Amino acid sequence: MNELATPAPAGSEPEAELSADARAAQFAQQVGQLRDAVIEKLTYSVGKDRNTASERDWFISVALATRDHIVNDWMRSVRAAYQENRRRVYYLSLEFLIGRLLIDSLTNLGLVEQMRAALSSLDMDLDKLRQVEPDAALGNGGLGRLAACFMESMATLSIAGHGYGIRYDNGMFRQTITDGWQHEYPEDWLDFGNPWEFPRPEVAHNIGFGGVVDAMPRDNGSPARIWRPSETVVAAAYDTPIVGWPGADKSNFVNTLRLWSARAPDPLRLDVFNEGDYVGALADQVRAESISKILYPADSTPAGQELRLRQEYFFASASLQDLIRRHLRQNGDIDALADYVVIQLNDTHPAIAVAEMMRLLVDVYVLDWDRAWEITQATFCYTNHTLLPEALETWPAPLMERLLPRHMQIIYLINARHLDRLRAEGMEDPGKLSALSLIDEHHGRHVRMGHLAFLGSHKVNGVSALHTELVKQTVFRDFNEIYPDRIVNKTNGVTFRRWLLEANPHLTKLLAETIGKDFYNDAEALKALEPLATDLDFQARFAGARLANKTALAGLIADRMMIKVDPNAIFDVQIKRIHEYKRQLLNILQTIAHYNDIRAHPMRDCVPRVKIFAGKAAASYHMAKLIIKLANDVARVVNNDPTVRDLLKVVFLPNYNVSLAEAIIPAADLSEQISTAGMEASGTGNMKMALNGALTIGTLDGANVEIREHVGADNICIFGLTAEEVAVRRARGNDARDTIAASPMLREVLESIRDGAFSPDDRNRYATLVDMLTYHDYFLVTADFDAYCATQMNIARRWRDRKSWWRSAILNTARTGWFSSDRTIAEYADDIWKVPVRPS
Ligand code: 26V
């Protein structure tokens, strides 16, 4: 299936200097070596014979053979960073949504075809084996996937970057859909071992919790504080090498993702065991290890649980201890920390690191407070990823006092100094002072982690131009007035290796044949396609590559869902977490309107469409789960209605993850980015689909605004209220009843849902949902409905004019080079981190 997965083996093949014969000889030699290596791994590492090995055994052998190719480059990269005494970037993130690594690693090593040939000589198929690898799903959605793209781009740009996170035993839950309802099951990515990681049992740090803080007299008069934790957990390191795309010198830079696993200091309490309490003897171990047991599977609702705070502190403390130890080993001087270290906080999840850094500098390394604060601020930077009020983390002060008593003292002290300074500068307004305080006193004391992250950092960034503006105007308005230079924008990006070269080999091959391979190294080189946008021959080939992807996806849909879809229909795709603000509901309502229209006008010539949905709902998010049920109910009715005659199909693909995204994105014609304006910080799926030649239907939200600027207003379909209009509408109080009354189409749709047309087994199922839309339409679904439907009709018209459609699609691919995460990371490096990057 995937014989085109041939991004040039750039890593290992100095093409320009070698003759064709020499290249062929080198290729054959690599194939032979890989074949031997795979057999050796199968025999001596997996302990299996060729005849009895399962596909999983083969996958592990192939991964281990691949890993060996990474290790030399890895050691060279580590040595280079050390010898050049590079300034290091530490990316602290509770989530890394990596997906599979086999093809990713082989691509960047330039060994895809060699491995394919090696395996085929062993009667094995690389494309089959790649499917065996479980996804590393250590993230919820956009924020975690961004961290994974950033790791790859940092390696690509030869930045000495280290990722720090948690090695969850169970990542994002596995979603099944039964009878239309979502069910969650634990995910088991580690069950058969993880061939990419290196356990580092010698790298372990003690993490304290609870206890008391003692004051001890010191020579200089001010007492030293000694924290005596009541509980200690050990953080044990596991390293995964992250290979970058090769640079101009053809070498691969390799960075480390270090994930922490929690251990009890003692495996069991022997005294308790000896008394016969076998379960009690293990209690400490269970409690300690629960910290790295499971990823919090919510993407915005506050966790509000002690375990989440324990996770945050556990990984923040382990990471700071680790990086300080590395710094001291190399530079010896804690005072110079900020010269050699920059720490990026991925959202507020690691924000407790600000207080931990102060504790380490003041209590352990005995720096005076002011100097410690200078170093802390010069070291940290913070990225905000959401304005949703429910996602802005706060922790109850009593919980913090109990779990992290010394940190709470430090936070109070940071706050006192901060407020004193504001007062000294003339701020008197108690309302302003209370808004700027690290402590929210409104409904029981809470620590505002966003405020702590802001104050402790020298740069704070939003993730798209619009989002950054809104960050300045809303959550950090008062801070922005006081520190006007601190907030900057860094529009997100995605790694083109995974999201174009690996996910879409058909298109990649066509592009390489047409404009050469420059875009492998520099995404902006895709611009060379622009003149071909109206070339009918190229259009046909472009459409052909896309049709191959759509046919493959149709096969996947048939296999998994037993639904037959026509690859020539418009593939209209909405794939992302299920959330009211992302408005899957708007899409479903329009689907029903379209269905009604087909039935009302059976003779009308209509463009065939396949509506494809995928995404997970947080387990406790009832409305999101009801939206999934509605999508499935609508799918059942529409797909089984013979009057629809295949003009409309609705598919909800279960268990959305990185690998499923890789199958869907290259096959999307239409990319749904329809959030309530002002609510989607950036989006990154929008970039991936545009890059692969989909047209976007979207609101002026997040990075859609910049996608429009880049691809041109003619090549994107924008509709709906703007962020400003949303704010005005909400301020004046939005009453959907008038809107519904004014739209016969919407009325009909809502009535059919309310009357149980899609839930004959439970006619009341959607009563609350319709009520919500009628009386509390906070996300303005009804307000944007007519504009959305009109835009969808316009899209059908555009689809009929295929020449114009392909022109727009090609221009989307040609003009989205700017959305490469290499560009984003180069901006971070230049503007925030102050580290050099290797030219492509
Ligand atoms: C918040 C929480 C709250 C507590 C429970 C666990 C949890 C996990 C994650 C989050 C953060 C959600 C924020 C997020 O994912 N933002 C997304 O970030 C993307 C990358 O910048 C961006 O493209 C999306 O627009 C934005 O929604």
Side-chain angles (χ1 to χ4, degrees), residues 95 140-144 146 296-303 308 347 349 383-386 390-391 393 463 492 581-582 679-684:
E95 304 191 6
N140 274 282
L143 168 144
L146 187 77
Y296 262 84
D299 66 341
S300 63
T301 36
R308 171 79 179 181
D347 217 295
H349 314 157
T383 306
N384 174 284
H385 292 270
T386 182
E390 64 270 30
E393 283 188 299
V463 290
N492 286 165
Y581 85 81
K582 295 178 187 279
M679 301 197 76
E680 187 68 270
S682 162
T684 45

